Structure formats: structure tokens, C-alpha cells
């Protein structure tokens, strides 16, 4: 039986994992109604993706879920590598002083629980037991078919987001390619506890090698709790399955016999750096790994994100984080499109910005799985920032203007992540604040900088620039005037922030009058340091994102 659902929705999201939930929260935060459906009757309870990168924690701060994520996680301090019983490497994860958060480990089901609860607080519930089975689209929207035990329903949405995993029906229906291959090896996962003397918060990677090739492997990632780890290892012959068909996507959990505690203990006995006994097995599974990347992140009014667009080895905990950032990038653009204020090319920038990131992550994680994290660089600080996903650069994006293609340390060029800065002060606040506390991660933010030589005669110039930007951004921008300690800006009507410790000037490379336009996702859409403030350039930058108002 087919019924027509008259409750149309601006955005339909297929898949209620962390990627779909992120997209739904970001839409709801902007007042955009959406529906999110998932075929599973209950949420999964396995520790699949466990690593949360510093950049994702910054996103979670903007989403309003950071405290709960930190409460449910445990800090990742580093990794120790053993080969044939001997320690050969110890990598700490020291976070640079300018980065507000470190590396965190948290079971994926906890991340999903927190995101699900946040979404419910915003009035949206996941609709479970409902599967997207097909859709059509035209210039006016998407007509989707949803199936459940109660039959089928047809839903009209302005846009469809496929966050439906490696076997995505959205990707397949769009006819997108998914080029790549599968790893020959099969693996098994187990969520267990051990009583051992290994240092707290360190991942353990122990291998047996013969003739330089790894033939046995144990990887232990710490989880919250006393002695709790997610352990992964090669599958024993008795649990291995036949090689997957070459025309399928062999990625994720496999059906059949799940590993038992004795299977995991056998690997621990062979490879653990210290003798220990595993206990309290919470969950286990056999899984396969592929590396694939889609040829487009969407078409027309339909988009894909996360595993639907890119799959790769779990090395370095890049997958879920990359997917969350896909959704974060897409959602603010969709919100402007649904609101009718998006520039014509705005949604096209999603593919232009995120697909190159997906391609880089797939390639890098495949290399890291074979050679180890950071094997391609002799600069540990660079490796830490890259694995933390802090070096993403959208300089080639069609909605980034004035971008410098030369990476200059200590400066904030258009296309790059907007740095945080501490030691800022403002009236009526009795202690220093962080710059990120001013960015609500919902609208754009204009940061005007007044250097030491700026005086009262410059106030009118800053205020004029602010008026131009507010008009060009259709009012959807927050403006702050950040002033050096001795700049005379006392007469301004703009919200005034004082850079008491000079961290803002250092992080942004600002000396004289400067302007920085920060997007809702925390990346710089435009930057100008020194010289006469270029209102024409700012306006042009904003017109790549915001449609021009219709003439009266």
C-alpha cells in the first residue's frame, strides 16, 4: 500500500549515525525543519569509530555538545609501537599551545547518544525502522519513497542528504561511481578490559614481522573506563569468510560468527607487550576495510556525506571526523538555500571543498595503514596538526576570495581555519575570554582589527565597513571590532574587544587595520591585513554566499 505523506519537509536526511545527526542539529540550530530516518529499529551499541580529533571538538563546541562529549570520553595521549616484542617507537600527541583541545577517545554509540539527545532538545526525533528505498528529483525538489513495516510513504523535500553509509542507496540511485579496492586482510574487533601496566591513554600497536612484512597485528585503543580498550586484530582462519565479490563494496561489519573472548585472548598471548588476561567482552565483530572515493558529493538537490562518499582504513581515526565535517560544511549552506538567501553557486561549493579533502584522507590513510602514521614526514608538529584535521584549506573554493596559496606560519589566509586567540577582554566581563567564544558557529562573523596606531578618526571607517557587510550578508553576520591595547576606539558603537595579550594580532598576522570574515564552519571566507580596508572585495566575497536582495 502506498500512502502520500502531506507533511513535506525542507530537508530529508537518510541515516542517523553521527554524520546524519550532525547535519540535522546544524539545520535545527538555524530554524530549518528536517526529517531524519534510519532503517535500524534501535541505535547500535558498538564502539566502531572511537577517535575524536581536536578540530571536531571545536565543531562540537559550536554545536553546544562539547561538555557532554568530554564527560563521556578519555584523553588520547599517544601511541606506542612494538615489533616482535620490542618497543620501536613512542609518539606523544602534544597539542600546540594555540589549539584549545586535544585528542579524545569515546565510543561511537556515546557520540551518537549525545548528538541524538541534542537533536531531541531541538524538537527533532529520529524516525527509526524507516528505510529510504528510492527517490526522484526535479528543479523543484526531491520526491522520496520511504519503506517500513507499516508500508510505504512518499515524501517531498526541498533537499535530500544521504548519510546512509558505505552501501548508500542515495549514492547508488544518483549513479555515482565509487572507485577503489578492498584490503585482502580481514579483521576482528573486540571491546574488552585488561589489567596491565601499560601507560594510561596510549594506543598500543604491536606487530609480528617476518622479512619486513607484518603477518600478525594487535591494535588497542583506550576507551573510557578502567583498563578498557577497543582491540582490533587479524581474523583467525576459523572466522574468516570467503573473499568478497569484486563488484561489491566490502567495508564494515560482516555477518556470521562474532569473535569470542578466547579468539581475542589468543592474539593477546602472542602480541601483548605484557602478559594480561582480557575480560568483560562487551561487543565483537568481524569486519573488512576498503578504500573508495565517490566522483561527486551530490547532484542537483541531493547530497551525500560521510561513508556514503568516502571509505578508508581506520588508521588515525579520520573517517567519522571527516564525515562530521562534511555534514557541518553542508548544513549551513543548505540552511541558507532553504531560507532563500543563498547565492546561486553556494551549494556547488560543497563538492568543490569537501571532495578534495575526502580524496586526500583516503590516500593518506591507505599509506598510513601500510607505513604508519607520519611516515611521510619528518616534522612531528606538522603530522600532529594534520592528523588533528587542523590544516584543511579551502583556498581553491569558488566561495573563497582573496586567498593566498602560500601557507605563511602565524597568519590567517582566506580558506584556512580561523585561529583561536586567548587573553581578550570586553566590557562587563571580569576575566579574559577566547575568540571562539564570540563565534556562535551559526552565522558569519566579521572581525575588524584596529592596530596600535588606530585612533578615534578611524572609528567611522570601521563602522562604515560593518554597515556594508551587514547589508551584503542580509543581516546574517555578527560584527566585532578587535583593538590593540592602545588603539583609541572608545567612541565606537560596535562591540569592542581588546587584544590585551596580543594573541589575536599574532595568530592573524594583523598589524595595521585588517579585516577577517569567518564562515559559520570556522573557516575564513576573506582576509585582508593592512592597507585601506577594501569594502568592494568584502562585498564580492559575500556575494559568492548570499544572494543579492531584489531591487525595490
Amino acid at each position: 500500500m502506498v500512502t502520500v505523506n502531506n507533511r513535506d519537509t525542507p530537508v530529508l536526511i537518510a541515516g542517523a549515525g553521527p554524520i546524519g545527526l550532525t547535519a540535522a542539529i546544524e539545520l535545527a540550530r538555524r530554524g530549518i525543519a528536517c526529517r531524519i530516518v534510519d532503517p535500524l529499529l534501535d541505535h547500535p551499541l558498538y564502539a566502531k569509530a572511537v577517535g575524536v580529533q581536536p578540530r571536531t571538538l571545536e565543531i562540537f563546541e559550536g554545536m553546544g555538545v562539547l561538555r557532554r562529549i568530554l564527560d563521556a570520553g578519555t584523553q588520547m595521549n599517544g601511541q606506542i609501537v612494538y615489533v616482535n616484542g620490542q618497543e620501536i617507537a613512542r609518539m606523544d600527541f602534544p597539542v600546540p599551545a594555540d589549539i584549545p583541545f586535544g585528542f579524545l577517545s569515546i565510543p561511537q554509540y556515546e557520540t551518537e547518544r549525545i548528538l541524538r539527545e541534542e537533536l531531541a532538545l531541538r524538537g527533532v526525533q529520529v524516525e527509526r525502522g524507516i528505510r529510504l528505498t528510492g527517490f526522484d528529483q526535479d528543479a523543484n525538489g526531491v520526491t522520496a519513497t520511504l519503506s517500513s513495516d507499516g508500508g510505504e510513504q512518499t515524501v517531498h523535500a526541498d533537499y535530500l542528504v544521504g548519510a546512509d553509509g558505505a552501501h548508500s542507496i542515495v549514492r547508488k540511485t544518483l549513479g555515482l561511481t565509487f572507485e577503489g579496492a578492498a584490503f585482502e586482510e580481514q579483521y576482528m574487533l573486540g571491546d574488552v578490559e585488561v589489567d596491565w601496566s601499560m601507560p594510561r591513554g596510549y594506543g598500543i600497536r604491536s606487530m609480528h614481522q617476518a622479512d619486513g612484512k607484518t603477518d600478525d597485528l594487535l591494535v588497542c585503543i583506550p576507551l573510557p573506563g578502567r583498563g578498557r580498550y577497543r582491540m582490533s586484530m587479524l581474523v583467525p582462519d576459523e572466522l574468516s569468510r570467503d573473499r568478497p565479490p569484486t563488484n561489491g563494496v566490502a567495508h564494515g561489519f560482516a555477518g556470521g560468527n562474532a569473535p569470542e573472548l578466547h579468539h581475542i585472548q589468543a592474539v593477546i598471548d602472542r602480541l601483548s607487550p605484557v602478559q594480561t588476561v582480557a575480560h568483560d567482552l562487551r561487543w565483537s565483530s568481524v569486519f573488512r576495510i576498503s578504500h573508495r572515493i565517490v566522483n561527486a558529493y551530490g547532484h542537483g538537490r541531493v547530497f551525500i556525506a560521510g561513508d556514503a562518499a568516502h571509505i578508508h582504513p581506520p588508521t588515525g581515526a579520520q573517517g567519522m571526523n571527516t564525515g562530521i565535517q562534511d555534514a557541518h560544511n553542508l548544513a549551513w549552506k543548505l540552511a541558507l538555500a532553504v531560507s532563500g538567501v543563498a547565492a546561486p553557486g553556494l551549494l556547488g561549493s560543497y563538492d568543490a571543498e569537501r571532495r578534495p579533502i575526502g580524496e586526500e584522507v583516503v590516500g593518506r590513510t591507505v599509506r598510513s595503514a601500510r607505513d604508519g602514521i607520519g611516515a611521510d614526514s619528518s616534522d612531528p608538529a606538522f603530522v600532529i596538526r594534520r592528523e588533528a584535521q587542523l590544516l584543511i584549506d579551502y583556498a581553491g573554493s569558488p566561495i573563497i576570495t582573496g586567498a593566498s596559496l602560500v601557507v605563511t606560519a602565524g597568519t590567517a589566509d582566506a580558506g584556512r581555519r580561523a585561529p583561536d586567540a586567548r587573553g581578550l577582554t570586553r566590557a562587563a566581563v571580569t576575566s579574559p575570554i577566547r575568540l571562539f567564544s564570540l563565534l556562535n558557529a551559526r552565522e558569519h562573523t566579521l572581525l575588524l582589527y584596529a592596530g596600535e596606531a588606530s585612533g578615534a578618526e578611524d572609528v567611522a571607517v570601521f563602522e562604515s565597513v560593518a554597515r556594508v557587510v551587514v547589508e551584503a550578508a542580509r543581516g546574517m553576520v555578527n560584527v566585532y571590532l578587535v583593538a590593540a591595547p592602545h588603539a583609541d576606539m572608545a567612541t565606537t558603537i560596535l562591540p569592542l574587544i581588546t587584544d590585551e595579550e596580543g594573541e589575536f594580532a599574532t595568530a592573524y598576522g594583523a598589524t595595521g587595520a585588517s579585516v577577517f570574515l569567518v564562515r559559520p564552519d570556522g573557516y575564513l571566507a576573506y582576509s585582508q591585513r593592512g592597507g585601506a580596508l577594501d569594502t568592494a572585495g568584502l562585498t564580492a566575497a559575500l556575494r559568492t554566499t548570499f544572494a543579492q536582495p531584489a531591487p525595490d
Side-chain angles (χ1 to χ4, degrees):
M1 179 180 68
V2 177
T3 61
V4 176
N5 188 338
N6 294 319
R7 183 163 60 92
D8 289 352
T9 182
V11 182
L12 174 64
I13 301 171
I19 285 76
L21 291 168
T22 296
I25 291 170
E26 288 298 281
L27 290 167
R29 286 205 312 129
R30 293 169 172 83
I32 303 300
C34 66
R35 289 182 65 182
I36 178 169
V37 300
D38 194 283
L40 297 179
L41 290 172
D42 200 3
H43 46 83
L45 292 174
Y46 46 73
K48 183 184 176 185
V50 298
V52 177
Q53 306 294 354
R55 174 61 188 144
T56 304
L57 291 177
E58 292 177 355
I59 289 172
F60 285 160
E61 181 180 32
M63 292 171 63
V65 300
L66 176 65
R67 178 191 60 78
R68 286 168 280 172
I69 292 288
L70 294 177
D71 288 350
T74 187
Q75 183 171 342
M76 276 288 293
N77 296 318
Q79 176 179 259
I80 307 173
V81 181
Y82 296 83
V83 173
N84 298 341
Q86 300 297 314
E87 181 180 328
I88 65 163
R90 182 177 294 232
M91 176 186 288
D92 291 320
F93 295 162
V95 178
D98 60 303
I99 306 304
F101 308 113
F103 295 83
L104 193 76
S105 179
I106 174 175
Q108 180 174 326
Y109 63 79
E110 284 290 270
T111 299
E112 292 181 5
R113 173 186 62 82
I114 292 165
L115 295 178
R116 200 165 50 247
E117 290 174 352
E118 178 67 19
L119 184 60
L121 289 173
R122 298 184 179 278
V124 182
Q125 296 284 347
V126 174
E127 300 177 46
R128 293 207 166 271
I130 298 178
R131 180 184 301 274
L132 174 73
T133 55
F135 62 86
D136 293 301
Q137 64 169 317
D138 57 27
N140 298 315
V142 181
T143 301
T145 302
L146 303 179
S147 299
S148 66
D149 289 344
E152 291 186 344
Q153 55 178 299
T154 300
V155 176
H156 182 80
D158 293 330
Y159 299 95
L160 169 64
V161 177
D164 49 345
H167 305 282
S168 169
I169 186 65
V170 177
R171 182 188 67 241
K172 294 173 183 177
T173 304
L174 283 175
L176 304 176
T177 63
F178 205 34
E179 297 296 331
F183 279 68
E184 292 288 337
E185 301 87 354
Q186 297 180 59
Y187 298 85
M188 61 183 182
L189 287 177
D191 181 348
V192 299
E193 292 183 16
V194 289
D195 301 315
W196 63 8
S197 57
M198 302 306 294
R200 182 178 176 86
Y202 279 80
I204 306 299
R205 182 181 180 90
S206 182
M207 297 169 284
H208 180 270
Q209 292 184 345
D211 299 325
K213 295 183 178 179
T214 299
D215 56 19
D216 207 358
L217 175 69
L218 172 66
V219 178
C220 310
I221 304 298
L223 294 174
R226 189 171 289 106
R228 184 182 173 195
Y229 290 81
R230 190 204 67 184
M231 295 189 176
S232 58
M233 56 212 75
L234 296 174
V235 169
D237 291 340
E238 64 188 278
L239 295 179
S240 64
R241 299 172 62 85
D242 293 335
R243 186 174 299 177
T246 57
N247 61 349
V249 177
H251 191 80
F253 300 143
N257 295 330
E260 298 179 8
L261 195 57
H262 69 88
H263 294 114
I264 295 169
Q265 185 63 50
V267 182
I268 291 174
D269 291 342
R270 294 196 305 268
L271 293 177
S272 174
V274 296
Q275 290 187 343
T276 189
V277 176
H279 55 91
D280 291 319
L281 176 64
R282 289 176 171 83
W283 161 83
S284 66
S285 180
V286 172
F287 72 103
R288 290 185 179 273
I289 297 173
S290 288
H291 52 95
R292 293 180 182 271
I293 182 73
V294 77
N295 65 320
Y297 273 33
H299 176 70
R301 291 174 171 266
V302 181
F303 305 89
I304 56 174
D307 282 0
H310 47 81
I311 53 176
H312 38 80
T315 314
Q318 301 293 296
M320 180 184 72
N321 292 270
T322 302
I324 286 172
Q325 292 175 53
D326 290 343
H328 196 245
N329 181 292
L330 175 61
W332 70 266
K333 298 171 181 177
L334 276 179
L336 292 181
V338 170
S339 300
V341 297
L346 180 62
L347 291 179
S349 71
Y350 171 60
D351 176 85
E353 292 180 350
R354 293 305 300 173
R355 186 154 54 96
I357 303 303
E359 291 172 345
E360 189 276 333
V361 169
V362 170
R364 172 160 48 90
T365 53
V366 170
R367 294 191 299 272
S368 295
R370 293 169 177 161
D371 305 326
I373 296 173
D376 61 339
S377 174
S378 59
D379 184 353
F382 167 79
V383 172
I384 287 292
R385 287 183 182 269
R386 183 183 64 184
E387 296 301 311
Q389 300 194 337
L390 297 168
L391 299 181
I392 291 169
D393 192 340
Y394 297 140
S397 168
I399 64 169
I400 298 293
T401 60
S404 169
L405 298 181
V406 179
V407 177
T408 305
T411 61
D413 292 324
R416 299 173 67 187
R417 164 186 168 272
D420 198 6
R422 296 163 297 186
L424 307 178
T425 62
R426 69 181 304 180
V429 179
T430 59
S431 59
I433 62 174
R434 294 167 51 220
L435 177 65
F436 279 8
S437 70
L438 303 175
L439 310 180
N440 69 3
R442 193 173 61 237
E443 295 93 21
H444 281 65
T445 301
L446 179 67
L447 301 172
L448 299 163
Y449 179 75
E452 293 283 2
S454 298
E457 66 278 7
D458 298 312
V459 168
V461 175
F462 288 117
E463 293 178 353
S464 175
V465 171
R467 286 193 295 272
V468 169
V469 169
V470 169
E471 181 179 1
R474 311 289 292 268
M476 304 174 73
V477 61
N478 300 301
V479 180
Y480 294 97
L481 177 56
V482 181
H486 298 105
D488 182 7
M489 296 287 109
T491 61
T492 186
I493 59 173
L494 298 173
L496 181 62
I497 309 297
T498 302
D499 186 23
E500 289 287 355
E501 298 179 12
E503 279 202 18
F504 180 91
T506 299
Y508 284 76
T511 52
S514 303
V515 59
F516 306 94
L517 181 64
V518 184
R519 308 187 328 181
D521 57 3
Y523 290 87
L524 286 155
Y526 180 88
S527 67
Q528 180 197 351
R529 291 183 289 272
L533 297 185
D534 181 11
T535 54
L538 261 173
T539 301
L542 286 162
R543 284 179 177 169
T544 66
T545 297
F546 296 94
Q548 298 183 56
D552 295 334

